[in-house]
Amino acid sequence: MPRTKKQNADIKELSIEKIRDAGLKLFATKGLAATSIVDISELAGISTGLMYHYYKSKEDLYAELVKSAVTSANAAVLEVAEMPLSPMEKTTLLAKNMLESIEKYEMTAYFFVLMPQVFLNKLIPKKVKPFLKEVLLPKEIVKKIIIAGQQTGEIVKGNPDALSVFFFSSFTGLCTYKLMMGKQFILPSVEMVTAMLLNKSYK
Amino acid sequence: MPRTKKQNADIKELSIEKIRDAGLKLFATKGLAATSIVDISELAGISTGLMYHYYKSKEDLYAELVKSAVTSANAAVLEVAEMPLSPMEKTTLLAKNMLESIEKYEMTAYFFVLMPQVFLNKLIPKKVKPFLKEVLLPKEIVKKIIIAGQQTGEIVKGNPDALSVFFFSSFTGLCTYKLMMGKQFILPSVEMVTAMLLNKSYK
Amino acid sequence: MPRTKKQNADIKELSIEKIRDAGLKLFATKGLAATSIVDISELAGISTGLMYHYYKSKEDLYAELVKSAVTSANAAVLEVAEMPLSPMEKTTLLAKNMLESIEKYEMTAYFFVLMPQVFLNKLIPKKVKPFLKEVLLPKEIVKKIIIAGQQTGEIVKGNPDALSVFFFSSFTGLCTYKLMMGKQFILPSVEMVTAMLLNKSYK
Amino acid sequence: MPRTKKQNADIKELSIEKIRDAGLKLFATKGLAATSIVDISELAGISTGLMYHYYKSKEDLYAELVKSAVTSANAAVLEVAEMPLSPMEKTTLLAKNMLESIEKYEMTAYFFVLMPQVFLNKLIPKKVKPFLKEVLLPKEIVKKIIIAGQQTGEIVKGNPDALSVFFFSSFTGLCTYKLMMGKQFILPSVEMVTAMLLNKSYK
DNA sequence: AATGAATGAGTGTTCATTCAT
DNA sequence: TATGAATGAACACTCATTCAT
C-alpha cells in the first residue's frame, strides 16, 4: 500500500527538520568547509542521496540556515524596538530576551556564531550575499535606541555606533564561549550585559 | 660555495614569517578547513612546497599559530595581574592594553578569533590539544582580580565566573566584528568595556 | 526505490575483484611505490574515488593482497604436507602443483613475486607486518619433509635449512623470470626442480 | 689555500663511490620509485645538490648501476665459459664463483635482485633500455654449456632453455631470500645448486 | 521517498630538480 | 667542490554530487 499524501508530507517535513538541525549544529561549530555532507546526513540519520532531494547543494542548505538566522534575529529585535517602551526598558528587554533564548534554546548560540562566519568567509556562496546587509540591521536599530536614550539621559554618553557594536558583539562573544565551554559556561545576568549601556546615575 | 650560515638563516626566517602571517590571517577568518595550502602560499608569496620545508603539515602550522596566540595572550594578562595595582586599576589597564593592541596591530584581532576556533572544531589536531586548558587561563586570572575587587568594593557584585567570562568573551566578540566590518568598525572606549565590571558608586 | 541488497552486493563484489586483480599485477611487477592509484584504477576500469570506497588506502589494498598471497601459499603447502605420502612423493607433488599453478594461473607468478617484496621494502606498511613471520612458514614445513626424507634416504644429504630455502627460492626466481621474459619463458619440468632434493640412487 | 687537482680528484672519486654504494643498496631493496634522492644523499653522507654534480638525474644513477651490474655479471660468466674446461667443470666453477660472491660481497645479492626489476618496471628509464638484451646473455652462454654437456652425457637431458633459465633464476631467488632473511639465511652448497644440471650417473 | 555505488575535480603532501652563493 | 632554500609537477586521498533502481 502506498503512503497517503499526508503521510508523505509528514515524512518530508520530518526529514527536512532533521537535516536543518544537523546542518545548523555542524556549520556553526565546524564551519561550512569542514562540514561534510556525510557528517550532516549521518547526524540527521538519512542517506546522502536524500539530502539532495530537499536541498540542491550543501551551500543551499547553508544559505537557508543563514537566512533563517538573520530573519529571526532581526524580527526579535524589531519587535522590541517597536514596543511603546523607554530606551532603558527596550534595552533591558532586548538583553533579557536574548539571554533567555541563549539559555533555553541550544540553537540560539549556533545562530549567533554562524552569522559572523558569513562575513569572514570570503568565498561566501552567492545565495547568501543578499543577507549580508541584513546582518547589521539589528546594530542599526539598537543604535537608534541608544541615541534616544542618550537624549533622555537613560543611556551613557559616547559614540552610539561603538556602543551598539559593542553591545551586539558581546553577545556573539558570549555564544562563542558558550559553545566553547559547554556545561562549564555561566550566563551573565541582564544587569551585567546592560551595564555597558545604562546610565547608573539616571534619576 | 654555499650561502653562509647567516644568509640561510635570514632567508629561512623571512620565509617562515611570511608563512605565519598569511596562515594567521586566513585561519582566523576562514577556519582551518576552508584555508587551503595554495591560499596560504599565494598570500605569503611562496611556493606550496616551501611550506613543507618549515611545517610538517597544514595542521602543524595551525597548531603553532594557536600556541603563539594562547601563549602571548596569557603573558599579556599575567603581566598586568602581577603589577602592584588595585583591582580597578588592573581592570582598566588590561582593557586599555587589549583595545590598543586591537587598534594598533592588525594581527591581534586574528589571534583573538583564532583561539575559540580551537574548541569549536571538534576534529582538533592532536598537536593543539595541549593548549586547550591554557585558553581559559586568562579567564581564571581575571576572576581573581574580580573577587579581590568585589571585596574592596571597586568591582560590581555578581558571580565572578560569569563576569570574567563576559569580560573576555566581549573582546572575542569585538574582534569578530572588527574582522567582519573592516573599516566601518569603531572601537569602543576603555570606559565602555570596563563599565560592566567597575562599580560606579565606589568612593 | 534503491537497488536491492543483492544487486548492490553484486556490484560491490565485481568492483572489488577488478581492483584486486589490477593491484596484484601492478604491485608485483612495479612495487608498492611505483604503482599509482591512477595506474590501478585505469587497469581496473574504475574511478580513483571508488578505490577508496573499498580500501582505506593504497597500502591497505597492498596489505590485503599480501595477506591473500601468504595465506593461500601456506594453505597449498600445508595441504600436501599433511597427505599420507612419503617425503619423495610429497616433494614431487608439491613441485608439480606449484609448476601447474604457475603455468595455468597468471596470478600465481604475481603472488610469488609479491611476497618477498614485503621484506625488501624497509618501509613496510604496519598492516603487513603481522604476515612477515608467515611468509617463511612453507620453508619450515618443507624442512620437516626434507629431514624425514633424509632419514629414509629418499632425499639428499646436506643442511635441511639450506635445501629448503633453495627449493623455495628457486620458485621465486622462476616466477621473477616468468614475469620478466613473458612468452619467451619456458617452464622447467618437475624432474628438473626436484633434482636438487631427490636422491637419485635411492632404491 | 685551494685544494690541489689531485685532492679534488680524490674527493670526487670518494663522493662518487659513496653515492654508488648508497644507490645500489637502496635501489635493490626498495626499488627505483621508493628510493628518494634524499635517502641516497643521506646514506652517502652528502647534500642533494652534490648528487647532481655527478649524476644528471636519479635515473642516470640507476642506469649506471644497472649497466655495471649487467656488465660485470656477463664478464664473470664469459670468463668461465671461455676456460678450457669440460661442461661439468664449467658449471661447477660458475656455481662456485657465484655462491662465493654472494657470500663474500654484500653487493652481489643487490645486483642480482636489481636486474629483474629493470624488466618488471614498465616505465624503465630510456637509458637503461640498451642493457635489456644483455641481461639475458648469461642465460645464452650457459645454454651452450648445457647443450655441450648433454652431448657428452655430463649434463642431464631436457630442454636446454628451461634448464638454463632455471639455473639462473634459482640464483635470483636465492639472492631475494638472502636479502629477505638477513643473518638467518643459509647459503646452499655447490653440490646443491648444480644437482639440477649434473648427471649423477655420468662416468 | 530513499539508497548507496560511482564519479572526478580539488586538496594536502612529496620529491626530483634547480640555483644562488 | 658543496650546500640547502626554493620550486612545481605528480601523487594519495577526500568529498560534493549524480544516478540507477
Side-chain angles (χ1 to χ4, degrees):
Chain A
M1 228 184 314
R3 283 193 277 266
T4 65
K5 288 245 166 119
K6 174 76 174 72
Q7 281 175 316
N8 269 336
D10 286 352
I11 288 169
K12 182 171 173 174
E13 197 73 29
L14 186 65
S15 291
I16 287 183
E17 203 180 312
K18 286 191 292 184
I19 292 169
R20 285 176 53 104
D21 277 9
L24 180 56
K25 271 189 197 175
L26 293 168
F27 286 142
T29 50
K30 302 172 63 172
L32 174 61
T35 302
S36 77
I37 290 291
V38 171
D39 287 343
I40 297 173
S41 45
E42 276 180 0
L43 187 58
I46 55 153
S47 71
T48 61
L50 190 55
M51 258 245 12
Y52 283 88
H53 259 277
Y54 299 122
Y55 294 94
K56 237 177 59 199
S57 68
K58 186 170 86 162
E59 296 197 343
D60 234 61
L61 171 59
Y62 185 76
E64 198 189 292
L65 292 171
V66 170
K67 184 181 160 180
S68 281
V70 173
T71 307
S72 66
N74 291 1
V77 174
L78 260 179
E79 196 196 345
V80 170
E82 287 170 350
M83 285 180 175
L85 299 171
S86 73
M88 181 185 265
E89 287 165 335
K90 283 182 183 172
T91 307
T92 308
L93 183 57
L94 202 52
K96 184 168 161 281
N97 286 351
M98 286 167 94
L99 290 176
E100 268 179 22
S101 178
I102 291 170
E103 194 176 20
K104 273 196 193 158
Y105 309 110
E106 205 191 347
M107 292 298 158
T108 307
Y110 292 121
F111 274 128
F112 261 97
V113 172
L114 184 61
M115 278 185 295
Q117 280 186 22
V118 177
F119 280 84
L120 296 179
N121 225 312
K122 298 290 155 50
L123 298 167
I124 307 160
K126 280 175 192 169
K127 305 219 164 163
V128 180
K129 285 196 175 163
F131 305 107
L132 287 187
K133 287 162 280 175
E134 296 194 36
V135 171
L136 293 178
L137 191 64
K139 198 211 79 178
E140 293 305 317
I141 299 170
V142 169
K143 183 181 157 186
K144 282 179 196 159
I145 299 175
I146 288 171
I147 291 172
Q150 288 177 330
Q151 286 168 346
T152 64
E154 289 161 82
I155 287 183
V156 297
K157 288 179 180 159
N159 184 319
D161 271 305
L163 283 167
S164 178
V165 164
F166 185 49
F167 183 66
F168 269 103
S169 70
S170 73
F171 284 99
T172 299
L174 224 38
C175 292
T176 305
Y177 269 68
K178 181 178 154 67
L179 296 183
M180 219 169 104
M181 298 175 70
K183 299 198 171 168
Q184 289 177 55
F185 178 76
I186 297 177
L187 205 63
S189 64
V190 175
E191 289 72 39
M192 291 177 191
V193 302
T194 55
M196 64 176 74
L197 293 183
L198 302 185
N199 187 354
K200 291 272 171 59
S201 47
Y202 173 70
K203 208 173 338 151
Chain B
M1 244 169 305
R3 290 198 194 85
T4 64
K5 285 261 161 83
K6 175 81 176 68
Q7 282 173 316
N8 269 333
D10 287 350
I11 290 170
K12 192 170 167 170
E13 196 75 26
L14 185 65
S15 292
I16 287 182
E17 204 181 309
K18 287 192 291 185
I19 293 168
R20 283 177 54 103
D21 278 8
L24 179 57
K25 276 189 193 175
L26 292 167
F27 286 143
T29 49
K30 303 173 63 171
L32 174 60
T35 301
S36 77
I37 290 294
V38 172
D39 289 343
I40 295 173
S41 47
E42 277 179 358
L43 187 58
I46 54 150
S47 69
T48 59
L50 190 56
M51 253 245 12
Y52 288 89
H53 262 274
Y54 301 120
Y55 295 94
K56 246 175 52 199
S57 66
K58 186 171 85 163
E59 294 197 346
D60 234 62
L61 171 59
Y62 185 76
E64 202 193 286
L65 291 170
V66 170
K67 184 182 160 180
S68 280
V70 173
T71 307
S72 65
N74 290 2
V77 174
L78 260 178
E79 196 197 343
V80 170
E82 287 170 350
M83 285 181 174
L85 300 172
S86 74
M88 181 186 266
E89 287 166 334
K90 282 182 184 176
T91 308
T92 308
L93 183 58
L94 202 52
K96 186 170 159 280
N97 286 351
M98 286 167 93
L99 289 176
E100 268 180 23
S101 179
I102 291 171
E103 195 176 18
K104 271 197 195 159
Y105 308 109
E106 204 194 346
M107 291 298 159
T108 306
Y110 291 116
F111 273 126
F112 259 98
V113 172
L114 184 61
M115 278 186 294
Q117 279 188 23
V118 177
F119 282 85
L120 296 181
N121 227 312
K122 293 290 155 51
L123 299 169
I124 306 162
K126 279 177 191 168
K127 303 220 162 163
V128 180
K129 285 197 175 165
F131 306 108
L132 288 188
K133 288 162 278 174
E134 296 194 34
V135 172
L136 293 177
L137 190 65
K139 198 213 77 181
E140 293 305 317
I141 298 171
V142 169
K143 183 181 157 186
K144 282 179 196 160
I145 298 176
I146 289 172
I147 291 172
Q150 289 176 330
Q151 285 167 347
T152 64
E154 290 161 80
I155 288 182
V156 298
K157 288 180 180 157
N159 183 321
D161 273 305
L163 284 167
S164 178
V165 165
F166 185 49
F167 184 66
F168 266 101
S169 69
S170 73
F171 286 98
T172 299
L174 224 36
C175 291
T176 305
Y177 269 68
K178 181 179 155 72
L179 297 184
M180 216 170 106
M181 298 175 70
K183 297 196 173 170
Q184 289 177 56
F185 178 76
I186 297 177
L187 204 64
S189 65
V190 174
E191 288 72 38
M192 291 176 191
V193 302
T194 55
M196 64 176 74
L197 293 183
L198 302 186
N199 187 354
K200 292 273 171 57
S201 47
Y202 174 70
K203 211 178 337 153
Chain C
M1 242 170 305
R3 291 198 192 87
T4 65
K5 284 260 163 83
K6 176 84 175 67
Q7 282 173 315
N8 268 334
D10 286 351
I11 289 169
K12 191 170 171 169
E13 195 76 27
L14 185 64
S15 293
I16 288 182
E17 204 181 310
K18 286 192 289 186
I19 293 169
R20 283 176 55 103
D21 278 9
L24 179 57
K25 276 188 191 174
L26 292 167
F27 286 142
T29 50
K30 302 174 63 172
L32 175 59
T35 302
S36 78
I37 291 294
V38 172
D39 288 344
I40 296 173
S41 48
E42 277 179 358
L43 187 59
I46 55 150
S47 69
T48 60
L50 191 56
M51 252 248 10
Y52 289 90
H53 263 273
Y54 300 120
Y55 295 94
K56 243 175 53 199
S57 67
K58 186 171 85 163
E59 295 197 345
D60 235 63
L61 171 59
Y62 185 75
E64 201 192 286
L65 292 170
V66 170
K67 183 181 161 179
S68 281
V70 173
T71 307
S72 66
N74 291 1
V77 174
L78 260 179
E79 195 197 345
V80 170
E82 287 170 351
M83 286 181 173
L85 299 171
S86 74
M88 181 185 265
E89 287 166 334
K90 283 182 182 175
T91 306
T92 309
L93 182 57
L94 201 52
K96 184 168 160 282
N97 286 351
M98 287 168 91
L99 290 176
E100 268 179 21
S101 178
I102 291 171
E103 194 175 21
K104 271 195 194 160
Y105 308 109
E106 203 193 347
M107 291 298 161
T108 306
Y110 291 116
F111 272 127
F112 259 97
V113 171
L114 185 61
M115 278 187 292
Q117 279 189 22
V118 176
F119 283 84
L120 296 181
N121 228 310
K122 293 289 154 54
L123 299 169
I124 306 161
K126 279 178 189 167
K127 303 222 163 162
V128 181
K129 285 197 174 163
F131 306 108
L132 288 187
K133 288 163 278 174
E134 295 194 37
V135 171
L136 293 178
L137 190 66
K139 197 212 79 178
E140 293 305 317
I141 298 170
V142 169
K143 183 181 157 187
K144 283 180 193 157
I145 298 176
I146 288 172
I147 292 172
Q150 288 177 330
Q151 285 169 345
T152 64
E154 290 161 80
I155 288 183
V156 296
K157 286 177 180 159
N159 184 319
D161 272 305
L163 284 166
S164 178
V165 165
F166 185 49
F167 183 67
F168 265 101
S169 69
S170 72
F171 284 100
T172 299
L174 223 38
C175 291
T176 305
Y177 269 69
K178 181 178 154 70
L179 296 184
M180 214 170 107
M181 298 175 70
K183 296 196 173 169
Q184 288 178 54
F185 178 77
I186 297 176
L187 204 65
S189 65
V190 174
E191 288 74 37
M192 291 177 191
V193 301
T194 55
M196 65 177 72
L197 293 182
L198 302 186
N199 187 354
K200 292 274 172 55
S201 47
Y202 174 70
K203 209 176 337 149
Chain D
M1 227 181 319
R3 284 192 278 265
T4 64
K5 290 241 164 122
K6 175 78 174 72
Q7 281 176 318
N8 267 337
D10 285 352
I11 288 169
K12 181 172 173 173
E13 197 74 29
L14 187 64
S15 290
I16 288 183
E17 204 180 310
K18 285 192 292 185
I19 293 169
R20 285 176 54 103
D21 277 10
L24 180 57
K25 270 188 197 173
L26 293 168
F27 286 143
T29 49
K30 302 171 64 172
L32 174 60
T35 301
S36 78
I37 289 292
V38 172
D39 288 343
I40 296 173
S41 44
E42 276 180 358
L43 188 59
I46 55 153
S47 71
T48 61
L50 190 55
M51 259 243 15
Y52 283 89
H53 260 279
Y54 299 123
Y55 294 94
K56 238 176 57 198
S57 68
K58 185 170 87 162
E59 297 195 344
D60 234 61
L61 171 59
Y62 185 75
E64 198 190 290
L65 292 171
V66 170
K67 183 181 160 182
S68 280
V70 172
T71 307
S72 66
N74 290 2
V77 173
L78 259 179
E79 195 197 345
V80 170
E82 286 170 350
M83 285 182 176
L85 300 171
S86 72
M88 180 186 265
E89 287 166 335
K90 284 182 182 174
T91 306
T92 308
L93 183 58
L94 201 53
K96 186 168 158 281
N97 287 350
M98 288 168 91
L99 289 177
E100 268 179 22
S101 179
I102 291 171
E103 195 176 17
K104 272 196 193 158
Y105 308 109
E106 206 191 347
M107 291 297 158
T108 307
Y110 290 123
F111 275 127
F112 261 98
V113 171
L114 184 60
M115 279 187 293
Q117 280 186 21
V118 177
F119 279 84
L120 295 180
N121 224 312
K122 296 290 153 53
L123 298 169
I124 306 161
K126 279 175 191 169
K127 303 222 163 161
V128 181
K129 284 196 175 163
F131 306 106
L132 288 187
K133 286 163 280 174
E134 295 193 37
V135 171
L136 293 177
L137 190 65
K139 198 213 79 179
E140 292 307 316
I141 299 170
V142 168
K143 182 180 159 187
K144 282 179 194 159
I145 298 175
I146 288 171
I147 292 172
Q150 288 177 330
Q151 285 168 346
T152 65
E154 289 161 82
I155 288 182
V156 297
K157 287 177 180 159
N159 183 320
D161 271 306
L163 283 167
S164 178
V165 164
F166 185 49
F167 184 66
F168 269 101
S169 69
S170 73
F171 283 99
T172 299
L174 223 37
C175 291
T176 304
Y177 269 68
K178 181 178 155 66
L179 296 183
M180 219 169 104
M181 297 175 71
K183 298 198 171 169
Q184 289 179 55
F185 178 76
I186 297 176
L187 204 64
S189 64
V190 175
E191 288 73 38
M192 291 177 190
V193 301
T194 54
M196 65 176 71
L197 294 182
L198 302 185
N199 186 356
K200 291 274 172 58
S201 47
Y202 173 70
K203 205 172 349 144

